[in-house]
Amino acid sequence: MRYAEIGYYLEIDLATGNIEKVESDPELTELYLGGLGTSVKQHWDRVPPEVKPFDDENLLIFSTGLLNGTPAFSANRTVVSFVSPQSELLAYPMMGGFWSAELKHAGYDKVIFSNKSPDWVYIWINNDKVEIRDARHFKGKGSLEVQDLIREELNEPNAQVAAIGLAGENRCFTASIEQSRSSSSRLGGGAIMGDKKIKAVAVRGSKDVHLARGAEFMELMEEVKKYINFRNSNPIPGVMTILSGIGSPQEMLHTDEKWHTEGFAWGNARKRRKNFWTEEIEKAWTGTQNTAIKRFISCYNCPQQCGALIDYPGVPRYMMKCFSKLTYGMAAYVDNLEFGFKIVQRAQEYGVDAFSTPQILAFAVELKDAGILTDKDFEGCPPDEDKEGRFVWLLDRLVNREGIGDILADGTYWAAKRIGNGAEEFAHNNIKKHEQLPIKLGMLDPLYYLMYATNEKISITQIEGNWPQAPFPKREQREQFVKEWPQVPDERFKEWLLEWEPRGEKSIPHYPPPPMASEIVDWMEMIHNIDDALGLCAGMASFCLKPPYHINNLPQLVSAATGMDVDRDELKRKVNRSRNLHRAFNNCRGMTRADEKPPEDHWRHRFPELEEELLSTYYAFKGWNHDGIPTRERLHELDLDYVADELEKRGILKDVQG
C-alpha cells in the first residue's frame, strides 16, 4: 500500500483519445516527494529543450501534492506545470480550492496531458470512470460560468471544475485556469490548456487516502492546530497588518490598504502616491469592501478564510482572492475601490492573471500617452478621462485578440518587440519576460535582489518568506521577535536579525552581507519548494512570518504520513534535488546569468558591483558555476549525474570544475 500518495497517474493523450491509468514509481517519491518535484522529473524525462510552448509535445500536468487529501491543514494546492509561452521556461503556477483533494480521492496523484485535441473537449474524472467529453457547446463561455454548466450537465453539484475562459481559448499569454475560489494564474497555463483545446477538467472522488502512522500524524496536527489558534489570537506586533497573521494575504479581511496603495506603484508601475491614504479614502474603501463581501470562504481543510464571496450591485456573484481587488484600480489610476470589485468579476470570467494583465493594460495607456500607440489603435475606446471604461475596453480587446489587443495579449515583453518605435523602454517591469508586482522602492535590498533574480517561480509572492521584510526600528522589538521563533533552521538566524538595523553599517544595501543573504534566501526558497512538493498553501508555511509549518516540524509530518524516515537534512536534500533538476531544465532552454536581473528601475539606488557579488556568492552557495549552471559536483551530490551528462553533452556545462 502507498501512503499519502495514491501511486497512480492519469495519462491522457488528447490526439488519440487514449486514457491510461499508470502506476508511478515509488522511488520517485523517495527522491522528489511529490507535487512540483515529481512533475519536474516528468518534464525533464519527456519534454526536450527544443519543444516550443505551443508544440504538441509540451506536457500540461495537473498535480496534487504529497499531503493533499490528508488531514493536514491547508494542504490544498494544485501544481500546474508546463513550458510557458511567456517566459519559455518551465512554469508551475498553483491554485488552491478543492480540486487537488478531489483528484486524490478519485485515485490519482497527477493528470498528465499530452498532444492536442482536434476539437474542444472537457475531461470528466469520476473515480475509475474517466471520459473525454465534447465541449464545443461551451466554447466562448466564461471560466466561471462553464464550471456551473458542467456541474449541471453531469448532474454532479459537488464536482470540482478547473476551466478556462476566452483568454485561454485565444491563447493569451496571461490566461489563467480558474477553479472554485482560486486560480492557476501566472505565466499562461490557460493558454496552454486552450492550445490543447481543453475547456475544463472536472473531478469527483470518493476513495480513501491512507496514512502510514495515522495516530502519530494526528498528534502532530493537533500541535499545528494549537499554534494556528495561538497565532490567530496573537498577531505579530510591529509589522504591517498584512504580515501580522497567517494564511494567504488577508486582503478580504483587512481594509487598511495604506501600505499597498502608498508603497506600490500606480499606472504602468511608475509612480508611488505617498499621501494617497487619507481618512476620506479609508472610510470610503472600508464601506465599499464591507458592502461587497457577502461572506468569507476557505480552501479545502483550511481554517483561515482568505477569500470572499462577492455580491456587488450589478455584478454576478463571484469569489475574489487576494490582491486582485487593488491591481486593476491602481493600474488604471482609479481612486475608488468599486472599480476593482466590478472589473475583477469580468476578468475572472475571461480567465486572466490579475497581476500581469492590469500592468499590460497600463502599458498600453502609457504607450498612447507617449504617442507610440495612436488614436487608430484605440479606435472605439472611451475617452481618456473615462479611465474605467478605457480599461474595460482594453481588457475586452486583449482577451478576444482584437486589434491592438492581439499584440497586448502576449504580455509587455513580447508586445513591445512587436510594436517597436521605443516601446521596449515602457516594458520596464519584467523579469524573464514576465510582469512583476508594481513595486518600486528606494534602496537595493540584497535579499529581495536574490529572490527576484534567481527563483524559477518568477513571482515575488511565491518567493519571499519567513524573514521580515524590513528591520525593526528598536533592539527591543527585535529581541521580542526572536524570543519565540521556532521556525528558523539555525540559531544564527536570530543573531543576524538582532544585528539588522534600519540605518548605519548593518542596514541595507550592505546588510545582510552576501554570504548571510545567500543562507537566508536559500532557507526561504527551501520552504517554498517543500510546500510545492507537499501541496501546502504558502500562507501556512513559506510565505508568512512565523507560520505553523516549518523546517523543524515538517520532517515529522512527512515521516508519519508516508512511512519514510525523513529528517531535516534529508527533506532539504529531496527538494534541492528537484530544485536543481528544474534549474537544469531551464538552463537547457537557454536561461543563464544574463537573465537573472530585476528591472532596472525596481530600486532607485542600485549598486552594480554589489549585485554581481550577491549573485556570484549565491551561485557558489548553491553549487552552481558563474553562469548559474549546477556543477557536476553538485549534481553528483544529489544523484543527478545523468543531468550533468546532458548539460555537458549540450555544451551548457563547460566548466566541469564549477
Side-chain angles (χ1 to χ4, degrees), residues 268-328:
N268 186 23
R270 293 287 189 187
K271 297 179 181 178
R272 293 164 64 185
R273 300 172 70 182
K274 294 186 178 180
N275 298 311
F276 175 79
W277 194 251
T278 63
E279 290 184 7
E280 292 77 15
I281 288 288
E282 181 175 19
K283 181 178 179 180
W285 282 33
T286 299
T288 297
Q289 183 163 324
N290 290 339
T291 298
I293 293 175
K294 184 72 173 178
R295 61 180 174 87
F296 296 108
I297 52 178
S298 298
C299 296
Y300 176 84
N301 197 29
C302 180
Q304 290 311 104
Q305 295 184 317
C306 303
L309 177 64
I310 305 301
D311 186 9
Y312 197 78
V315 177
R317 284 188 177 186
Y318 69 101
M319 290 179 277
M320 178 179 270
K321 48 199 178 289
C322 194
F323 189 49
S324 58
K325 76 176 185 184
L326 300 180
T327 54
Y328 285 93

Coordinates of all heavy atoms in Angstrom, one line a residue, residues 268-328:
N268 N 1.5 52.1 -15.0 CA 2.4 51.1 -15.5 C 3.7 51.0 -14.6 O 4.8 51.1 -15.1 CB 2.9 51.5 -17.0 CG 3.7 50.4 -17.6 OD1 3.6 49.2 -17.2 ND2 4.5 50.7 -18.6
A269 N 3.4 50.7 -13.3 CA 4.4 50.5 -12.3 C 5.5 51.6 -12.3 O 6.7 51.4 -12.3 CB 5.1 49.2 -12.6
R270 N 5.0 52.9 -12.3 CA 5.9 54.0 -12.4 C 6.0 54.8 -11.1 O 7.1 55.0 -10.6 CB 5.4 55.0 -13.5 CG 5.6 54.4 -14.9 CD 7.0 54.4 -15.4 NE 7.1 54.0 -16.8 CZ 8.2 53.8 -17.4 NH1 9.3 53.8 -16.8 NH2 8.2 53.5 -18.7
K271 N 4.9 55.3 -10.6 CA 4.9 56.3 -9.5 C 4.1 55.8 -8.3 O 3.1 55.1 -8.4 CB 4.2 57.6 -10.0 CG 5.0 58.2 -11.2 CD 4.3 59.5 -11.6 CE 5.0 60.1 -12.8 NZ 4.3 61.4 -13.3
R272 N 4.7 56.1 -7.2 CA 4.0 55.9 -5.9 C 3.3 57.2 -5.5 O 3.6 58.3 -5.9 CB 5.0 55.5 -4.8 CG 5.7 54.2 -5.1 CD 7.0 54.0 -4.3 NE 6.7 54.0 -2.8 CZ 7.7 54.0 -1.9 NH1 8.9 53.9 -2.2 NH2 7.3 53.9 -0.6
R273 N 2.2 57.0 -4.8 CA 1.4 58.1 -4.3 C 1.4 58.1 -2.8 O 0.6 57.5 -2.1 CB -0.1 58.0 -4.8 CG -0.1 57.9 -6.4 CD -1.5 57.6 -6.9 NE -2.5 58.7 -6.6 CZ -3.8 58.6 -7.0 NH1 -4.2 57.5 -7.6 NH2 -4.6 59.6 -6.7
K274 N 2.4 58.8 -2.2 CA 2.7 58.7 -0.8 C 1.7 59.2 0.1 O 1.7 58.8 1.3 CB 4.1 59.3 -0.6 CG 5.3 58.6 -1.3 CD 6.6 59.2 -0.9 CE 7.7 58.4 -1.5 NZ 9.1 58.9 -1.2
N275 N 0.9 60.1 -0.4 CA -0.2 60.7 0.5 C -1.6 60.3 0.1 O -2.5 61.0 0.4 CB 0.0 62.2 0.5 CG 1.3 62.6 1.1 OD1 1.8 62.2 2.1 ND2 2.0 63.5 0.4
F276 N -1.7 59.1 -0.5 CA -3.0 58.7 -1.1 C -4.0 58.4 0.1 O -5.2 58.7 0.0 CB -2.8 57.6 -2.0 CG -4.1 57.0 -2.5 CD1 -4.8 57.6 -3.5 CD2 -4.7 55.9 -1.9 CE1 -6.0 57.1 -4.0 CE2 -5.9 55.3 -2.4 CZ -6.6 56.0 -3.4
W277 N -3.5 57.7 1.1 CA -4.4 57.0 2.1 C -4.9 58.1 3.1 O -4.3 58.2 4.2 CB -3.7 55.9 2.7 CG -4.6 55.0 3.5 CD1 -4.7 54.8 4.8 CD2 -5.6 54.1 2.9 NE1 -5.7 53.9 5.2 CE2 -6.3 53.4 4.0 CE3 -6.0 53.8 1.6 CZ2 -7.3 52.5 3.8 CZ3 -7.0 52.8 1.4 CH2 -7.6 52.2 2.5
T278 N -5.9 58.8 2.7 CA -6.5 59.8 3.6 C -7.6 59.2 4.5 O -8.1 58.1 4.2 CB -7.0 61.0 2.8 OG1 -8.1 60.5 2.0 CG2 -5.9 61.6 2.0
E279 N -8.1 59.9 5.4 CA -9.3 59.5 6.2 C -10.5 59.2 5.3 O -11.3 58.3 5.5 CB -9.6 60.4 7.3 CG -8.5 60.5 8.4 CD -9.0 61.4 9.6 OE1 -10.1 61.9 9.5 OE2 -8.1 61.7 10.5
E280 N -10.6 60.1 4.3 CA -11.8 60.0 3.4 C -11.7 58.7 2.6 O -12.7 58.0 2.4 CB -11.9 61.2 2.5 CG -12.2 62.5 3.2 CD -11.1 63.1 4.0 OE1 -9.9 62.7 3.7 OE2 -11.3 64.0 4.8
I281 N -10.5 58.4 2.1 CA -10.3 57.2 1.3 C -10.5 56.0 2.1 O -11.2 55.0 1.7 CB -8.9 57.2 0.6 CG1 -8.8 58.2 -0.5 CG2 -8.5 55.8 0.1 CD1 -9.6 57.9 -1.7
E282 N -10.0 56.0 3.3 CA -10.1 54.9 4.2 C -11.6 54.6 4.5 O -12.0 53.4 4.5 CB -9.4 55.1 5.5 CG -9.4 53.9 6.5 CD -8.6 54.1 7.7 OE1 -8.2 55.2 8.0 OE2 -8.3 53.1 8.4
K283 N -12.3 55.6 4.8 CA -13.8 55.5 5.1 C -14.5 54.9 3.9 O -15.3 54.0 4.0 CB -14.4 56.8 5.6 CG -15.8 56.7 6.0 CD -16.3 58.1 6.5 CE -17.8 58.0 6.8 NZ -18.3 59.3 7.3
A284 N -14.3 55.5 2.7 CA -15.0 55.1 1.5 C -14.6 53.7 1.1 O -15.5 52.9 0.8 CB -14.7 56.1 0.4
W285 N -13.4 53.3 1.2 CA -12.9 52.0 0.8 C -13.4 50.9 1.7 O -13.8 49.8 1.3 CB -11.4 52.0 0.6 CG -10.9 52.6 -0.6 CD1 -11.4 53.6 -1.3 CD2 -9.8 52.2 -1.4 NE1 -10.7 53.9 -2.4 CE2 -9.6 53.0 -2.5 CE3 -8.8 51.2 -1.2 CZ2 -8.6 52.9 -3.4 CZ3 -7.8 51.1 -2.1 CH2 -7.7 51.9 -3.2
T286 N -13.4 51.3 3.0 CA -13.9 50.3 4.0 C -15.4 50.0 3.8 O -15.8 48.9 3.9 CB -13.6 50.8 5.4 OG1 -12.2 51.0 5.6 CG2 -14.2 49.9 6.5
G287 N -16.1 51.1 3.5 CA -17.6 50.9 3.3 C -17.8 50.1 2.0 O -18.7 49.2 2.0
T288 N -17.1 50.3 1.0 CA -17.2 49.6 -0.3 C -16.9 48.1 0.0 O -17.7 47.2 -0.5 CB -16.3 50.1 -1.3 OG1 -16.7 51.5 -1.6 CG2 -16.4 49.3 -2.6
Q289 N -15.8 47.8 0.6 CA -15.4 46.4 0.8 C -16.4 45.7 1.7 O -16.8 44.5 1.4 CB -14.0 46.4 1.5 CG -13.5 44.9 1.6 CD -12.0 44.9 1.9 OE1 -11.3 45.7 1.3 NE2 -11.5 44.0 2.7
N290 N -16.9 46.3 2.8 CA -17.8 45.7 3.7 C -19.2 45.4 3.0 O -19.9 44.5 3.3 CB -18.0 46.5 4.9 CG -16.8 46.5 5.8 OD1 -15.9 45.6 5.8 ND2 -16.7 47.5 6.7
T291 N -19.5 46.3 2.1 CA -20.7 46.1 1.3 C -20.6 45.0 0.3 O -21.6 44.2 0.1 CB -21.1 47.4 0.5 OG1 -21.3 48.5 1.5 CG2 -22.3 47.2 -0.3
A292 N -19.4 44.9 -0.3 CA -19.2 43.9 -1.4 C -19.1 42.5 -0.9 O -19.6 41.5 -1.6 CB -18.0 44.3 -2.2
I293 N -18.6 42.3 0.3 CA -18.3 40.9 0.8 C -19.5 40.3 1.4 O -20.1 40.8 2.4 CB -17.1 40.9 1.8 CG1 -15.8 41.3 1.0 CG2 -17.0 39.5 2.4 CD1 -14.6 41.4 1.9
K294 N -20.0 39.2 0.8 CA -21.2 38.5 1.4 C -20.8 37.6 2.5 O -21.4 37.6 3.6 CB -21.8 37.7 0.3 CG -23.1 37.0 0.7 CD -24.2 37.9 0.8 CE -25.6 37.2 1.0 NZ -26.7 38.1 1.2
R295 N -19.7 36.9 2.3 CA -19.1 36.1 3.4 C -17.7 35.7 3.1 O -17.3 35.7 1.9 CB -20.0 34.8 3.7 CG -20.1 33.9 2.5 CD -20.9 32.7 2.8 NE -21.2 31.8 1.7 CZ -20.4 30.8 1.4 NH1 -19.3 30.6 2.1 NH2 -20.6 30.0 0.3
F296 N -16.9 35.3 4.1 CA -15.6 34.8 3.9 C -15.6 33.3 3.6 O -16.4 32.6 4.1 CB -14.7 35.1 5.1 CG -14.6 36.6 5.4 CD1 -15.2 37.2 6.4 CD2 -13.8 37.4 4.5 CE1 -15.1 38.6 6.7 CE2 -13.7 38.8 4.8 CZ -14.3 39.4 5.8
I297 N -14.6 32.9 2.8 CA -14.5 31.5 2.4 C -13.1 31.0 2.5 O -12.1 31.7 2.5 CB -15.1 31.3 1.0 CG1 -14.4 32.2 0.0 CG2 -16.6 31.5 0.9 CD1 -14.8 32.1 -1.4
S298 N -13.0 29.6 2.6 CA -11.7 29.0 2.7 C -11.5 28.0 1.6 O -12.5 27.6 0.9 CB -11.6 28.2 4.0 OG -11.7 29.1 5.1
C299 N -10.3 27.5 1.4 CA -10.0 26.4 0.6 C -10.2 25.1 1.4 O -10.5 25.1 2.6 CB -8.5 26.5 0.1 SG -8.2 27.9 -1.0
Y300 N -9.9 24.0 0.8 CA -10.1 22.7 1.4 C -9.3 22.6 2.7 O -8.1 22.9 2.8 CB -9.6 21.6 0.4 CG -9.6 20.2 1.0 CD1 -10.8 19.4 0.9 CD2 -8.5 19.6 1.5 CE1 -10.8 18.1 1.4 CE2 -8.5 18.3 2.0 CZ -9.6 17.6 2.0 OH -9.6 16.3 2.5
N301 N -10.0 22.2 3.8 CA -9.4 21.9 5.1 C -8.6 23.0 5.6 O -7.5 22.8 6.1 CB -8.7 20.6 5.0 CG -8.4 20.0 6.4 OD1 -9.2 20.2 7.3 ND2 -7.3 19.3 6.5
C302 N -9.0 24.2 5.4 CA -8.3 25.4 5.9 C -9.1 26.2 6.8 O -10.3 26.5 6.4 CB -7.7 26.2 4.8 SG -6.8 27.7 5.3
P303 N -8.6 26.7 8.0 CA -9.5 27.5 8.9 C -9.4 29.0 8.7 O -10.0 29.8 9.4 CB -8.8 27.1 10.3 CG -7.4 26.9 10.0 CD -7.4 26.3 8.6
Q304 N -8.6 29.4 7.6 CA -8.2 30.8 7.6 C -9.2 31.8 6.8 O -9.1 33.0 7.0 CB -6.8 31.0 7.1 CG -5.8 30.5 8.1 CD -5.9 31.0 9.5 OE1 -6.4 30.3 10.3 NE2 -5.6 32.3 9.7
Q305 N -10.0 31.3 5.9 CA -11.0 32.1 5.2 C -10.3 33.4 4.6 O -10.6 34.5 4.8 CB -12.1 32.6 6.2 CG -12.9 31.5 6.7 CD -14.1 31.9 7.6 OE1 -13.9 32.8 8.4 NE2 -15.2 31.4 7.4
C306 N -9.4 33.1 3.6 CA -8.6 34.1 3.0 C -9.3 34.7 1.8 O -8.9 35.7 1.2 CB -7.3 33.6 2.5 SG -6.3 33.0 3.9
G307 N -10.4 34.0 1.3 CA -11.1 34.5 0.1 C -12.5 35.0 0.6 O -12.8 35.0 1.8
A308 N -13.3 35.5 -0.4 CA -14.6 36.1 -0.1 C -15.5 35.9 -1.2 O -15.1 35.9 -2.4 CB -14.5 37.5 0.3
L309 N -16.8 35.6 -0.9 CA -17.9 35.7 -1.9 C -18.3 37.1 -2.0 O -18.7 37.8 -1.1 CB -19.0 34.8 -1.4 CG -20.3 34.8 -2.3 CD1 -20.0 34.2 -3.7 CD2 -21.4 34.0 -1.6
I310 N -18.2 37.6 -3.3 CA -18.5 39.0 -3.6 C -19.9 39.1 -4.2 O -20.3 38.4 -5.1 CB -17.5 39.6 -4.6 CG1 -16.1 39.4 -4.0 CG2 -17.8 41.0 -4.9 CD1 -15.8 40.1 -2.7
D311 N -20.7 40.0 -3.6 CA -22.1 40.2 -4.0 C -22.2 41.7 -4.2 O -22.7 42.4 -3.3 CB -23.1 39.7 -3.0 CG -24.5 39.8 -3.5 OD1 -24.7 40.1 -4.7 OD2 -25.5 39.5 -2.8
Y312 N -21.7 42.2 -5.3 CA -21.7 43.7 -5.6 C -22.8 44.1 -6.5 O -23.1 43.4 -7.5 CB -20.3 44.1 -6.1 CG -20.1 45.6 -6.0 CD1 -19.7 46.1 -4.8 CD2 -20.3 46.5 -7.0 CE1 -19.5 47.5 -4.6 CE2 -20.1 47.8 -6.9 CZ -19.7 48.3 -5.7 OH -19.6 49.7 -5.5
P313 N -23.5 45.2 -6.2 CA -24.6 45.6 -7.1 C -24.3 45.6 -8.6 O -23.3 46.2 -9.0 CB -25.0 47.0 -6.5 CG -24.5 46.9 -5.1 CD -23.3 46.1 -5.1
G314 N -25.1 45.0 -9.4 CA -24.9 45.0 -10.8 C -23.9 44.0 -11.3 O -23.6 44.0 -12.6
V315 N -23.3 43.2 -10.5 CA -22.3 42.3 -10.9 C -22.7 40.8 -10.4 O -23.1 40.7 -9.3 CB -20.9 42.6 -10.2 CG1 -19.8 41.6 -10.6 CG2 -20.5 44.0 -10.7
P316 N -22.6 39.8 -11.3 CA -22.9 38.5 -10.8 C -22.0 38.1 -9.7 O -20.8 38.5 -9.6 CB -22.5 37.6 -12.1 CG -22.7 38.6 -13.2 CD -22.2 39.9 -12.7
R317 N -22.5 37.3 -8.8 CA -21.7 36.8 -7.6 C -20.4 36.1 -8.1 O -20.5 35.3 -9.1 CB -22.5 35.9 -6.7 CG -23.5 36.7 -5.9 CD -24.1 35.7 -4.9 NE -25.0 36.3 -3.9 CZ -25.6 35.7 -2.9 NH1 -25.4 34.5 -2.7 NH2 -26.4 36.4 -2.1
Y318 N -19.3 36.3 -7.4 CA -18.1 35.5 -7.7 C -17.3 35.5 -6.5 O -17.6 36.1 -5.4 CB -17.4 36.2 -8.9 CG -16.7 37.5 -8.6 CD1 -15.4 37.7 -8.3 CD2 -17.5 38.7 -8.5 CE1 -14.8 38.9 -8.0 CE2 -16.9 39.9 -8.2 CZ -15.6 40.0 -8.0 OH -15.0 41.3 -7.7
M319 N -16.2 34.7 -6.5 CA -15.3 34.6 -5.4 C -14.0 35.3 -5.7 O -13.3 35.1 -6.7 CB -15.0 33.1 -5.1 CG -16.3 32.5 -4.5 SD -16.0 30.7 -4.1 CE -16.3 30.0 -5.8
M320 N -13.6 36.3 -4.8 CA -12.4 37.1 -5.0 C -11.3 36.6 -4.1 O -11.5 36.1 -3.0 CB -12.7 38.5 -4.7 CG -11.4 39.4 -4.8 SD -11.8 41.2 -4.5 CE -12.2 41.8 -6.2
K321 N -10.1 36.7 -4.6 CA -8.9 36.3 -3.9 C -7.8 37.4 -3.8 O -7.6 38.0 -4.8 CB -8.3 35.0 -4.5 CG -8.2 35.2 -6.0 CD -8.0 33.8 -6.7 CE -7.9 34.0 -8.2 NZ -9.1 34.4 -8.9
C322 N -7.3 37.6 -2.7 CA -6.1 38.3 -2.5 C -6.0 39.7 -3.1 O -7.0 40.4 -3.0 CB -4.9 37.4 -3.0 SG -3.3 38.0 -2.5
F323 N -4.9 40.0 -3.7 CA -4.6 41.4 -4.1 C -5.3 41.9 -5.3 O -5.2 43.0 -5.7 CB -3.0 41.4 -4.4 CG -2.4 42.7 -4.6 CD1 -2.7 43.8 -3.7 CD2 -1.6 43.0 -5.6 CE1 -2.1 45.0 -3.9 CE2 -1.0 44.2 -5.8 CZ -1.2 45.2 -4.9
S324 N -6.1 41.0 -6.0 CA -6.8 41.4 -7.2 C -7.8 42.6 -7.0 O -8.1 43.3 -7.9 CB -7.5 40.2 -7.9 OG -8.5 39.7 -7.0
K325 N -8.2 42.8 -5.8 CA -9.1 43.9 -5.5 C -8.5 45.3 -5.8 O -9.2 46.2 -6.1 CB -9.7 43.9 -4.1 CG -8.7 44.3 -3.0 CD -9.3 44.4 -1.6 CE -8.4 45.0 -0.6 NZ -8.9 44.9 0.7
L326 N -7.1 45.3 -5.8 CA -6.4 46.6 -6.0 C -5.7 46.7 -7.3 O -5.5 47.8 -7.8 CB -5.3 46.7 -4.9 CG -5.8 46.8 -3.4 CD1 -4.6 47.0 -2.5 CD2 -6.8 47.9 -3.2
T327 N -5.4 45.6 -8.0 CA -4.5 45.6 -9.1 C -5.0 46.4 -10.3 O -4.3 47.2 -10.9 CB -4.1 44.2 -9.6 OG1 -5.3 43.5 -9.9 CG2 -3.3 43.5 -8.6
Y328 N -6.3 46.3 -10.6 CA -6.9 47.0 -11.8 C -7.1 48.5 -11.5 O -6.7 49.3 -12.3 CB -8.2 46.3 -12.2 CG -8.0 45.0 -12.9 CD1 -8.0 43.8 -12.2 CD2 -7.8 45.0 -14.3 CE1 -7.8 42.6 -12.9 CE2 -7.6 43.8 -15.0 CZ -7.6 42.6 -14.2 OH -7.4 41.4 -14.9

